[in-house]
Each structure stands twice: as C-alpha cells, then as structure tokens.
Amino acid sequence: ARGIYTHRFVTNQLAPPPDQFRDDTATGGLNTEISNATAVGWGLGASGQLSGADLPLVRYRPVEELGPRQSEVTTDSYALHTGVQGFFSDSWEWEASATHSASETENVGVSGYANKKLMFDAAQADPASFNPFNAPGNKSNLDFARYQPKDVIESTMSTVNLQATGELLDMPAGPLSLAVGLSTAWQTYSESSD
C-alpha cells in the first residue's frame, strides 16, 4: 500500500473588473442602471439632456478605491493505493487493487472585490457617495461594498481492478493463454460559490 498527499497555495492578482453603466432610460436593463439624477450628479450632462442614444456608456475600473483583485487558492489532495496478488495454480495468477483519491480547492477573493449593487444603490441615494469621475486622490470610499467571494470545489474518485491470467491448454506451438479483468470506478464532484 502507498499514499501521497499534496498541499498547494497560490496567490493571484488581477486588475479590478471594469464596471459598465448607463442611465436607465437607454439600457433596457442590459447594464447597471442609474437614475437621471445620478448621471447629472456625476457631471455627465445637465438635467433633461441625458436620454436616448446620447447617453455615454462608461467602463470604469475602481483601482484607486479597491486596489487590484487578489485571490488565494488553496488545494489539498491525497491518493491511497493498495493491492494484493496470488496464484490459483502453477499456471494461473490473479491480482486485485483499489485506489481512492480526493481533492478540495478553495478560491477566496481576499481584496479588490466589491458588491456592484451596493455601489450603485449608494450612488442612487447620493451621487457623491460613489462618483467614478472624482479626481485622483479624491476617489470614493467603497469599504461599505467590499466583500470576499469564495468558491469551493470538491471531487473524489475510487477505482477497483481485478484481473487474472493463465494457461488454458497446450497447443502444438505452445500453451493457449487467457487474460480476464474487471474494472469499476466511482466519482463525485461538487462546487459551491457565493
């Protein structure tokens, strides 16, 4: 019998994801919808001028407010294997083996992530609370919207193998041999995200 265990830890870093928004009169629900008053509060135009196809589509990365996206990925896995073998007679041998392995991967976003709905709900209530057009050094505080996304993947696999080989009868050119075997496997997989 033998076994193996592996632990792996990886840190990833990416830029914050770009947000996309337009006034609710033009998006049809495709982008994050902000009110006309919020768009005016952001300085995108005067009241009454923000409607239809003239509305700007803005993609903005909140780098200064949130910093880069950082995630930590931890993977633990192990495998166990055992087997036995023997003889039926002088010309027949058999072997049986079993293997079980399992793995769990946890991916946690430790920084740089924010709940987009909370960001824009705040902007609806008070455009000054989140204004992506503020000058550098005077950006909005998005601590209220920060969160840590988590994704967990678990998997297992078990296998059983049986085999036998031996001679059936003697032939003029040599013995006639036969080999038979059976293999079966069970596998599970689950993934949970928030």
Side-chain angles (χ1 to χ4, degrees):
R2 63 179 182 271
I4 185 172
Y5 169 78
T6 302
H7 175 81
R8 184 175 64 175
F9 178 80
V10 178
T11 300
N12 298 319
Q13 181 167 302
L14 301 169
D19 285 315
Q20 179 172 294
F21 46 84
R22 241 182 198 165
D23 182 79
D24 54 10
T25 57
T27 65
L30 296 178
N31 306 317
T32 302
E33 296 180 353
I34 59 173
S35 66
N36 184 274
T38 300
V40 172
W42 284 357
L44 300 182
S47 180
Q49 295 179 347
L50 300 174
S51 63
D54 295 333
L55 286 164
L57 173 64
V58 180
R59 297 183 67 84
Y60 171 73
R61 293 183 184 271
V63 178
E64 185 173 326
E65 298 93 325
L66 297 176
R69 282 177 293 168
Q70 293 182 333
S71 61
E72 296 178 348
V73 183
T74 304
T75 301
D76 291 288
S77 59
Y78 70 88
L80 301 173
H81 178 82
T82 187
V84 292
Q85 60 184 22
F87 295 89
F88 293 124
S89 64
D90 292 340
S91 61
W92 277 87
E93 61 181 298
W94 59 271
E95 182 178 349
S97 63
T99 300
H100 177 74
S101 61
S103 176
E104 179 181 282
T105 298
E106 182 179 88
N107 188 341
V108 180
V110 294
S111 65
Y113 294 86
N115 185 308
K116 191 173 182 179
K117 184 178 186 304
L118 291 179
M119 291 166 54
F120 286 94
D121 283 351
Q124 299 281 57
D126 178 12
S129 66
F130 170 54
N131 185 345
F133 301 99
N134 284 342
N138 192 32
K139 294 293 186 180
S140 306
N141 186 336
L142 296 181
D143 287 346
F144 67 91
R146 290 181 183 271
Y147 82 109
Q148 292 190 338
K150 183 178 180 180
D151 183 59
V152 178
I153 298 175
E154 297 177 320
S155 63
T156 65
M157 175 175 280
S158 300
T159 61
V160 174
N161 297 285
L162 303 172
Q163 64 182 40
T165 59
E167 298 177 2
L168 289 178
L169 52 89
D170 291 327
M171 302 288 288
L176 176 64
S177 298
L178 175 69
V180 295
L182 172 67
S183 179
T184 185
W186 301 267
Q187 186 173 13
T188 65
Y189 178 89
S190 66
E191 181 174 358
S192 60
S193 304
D194 61 8

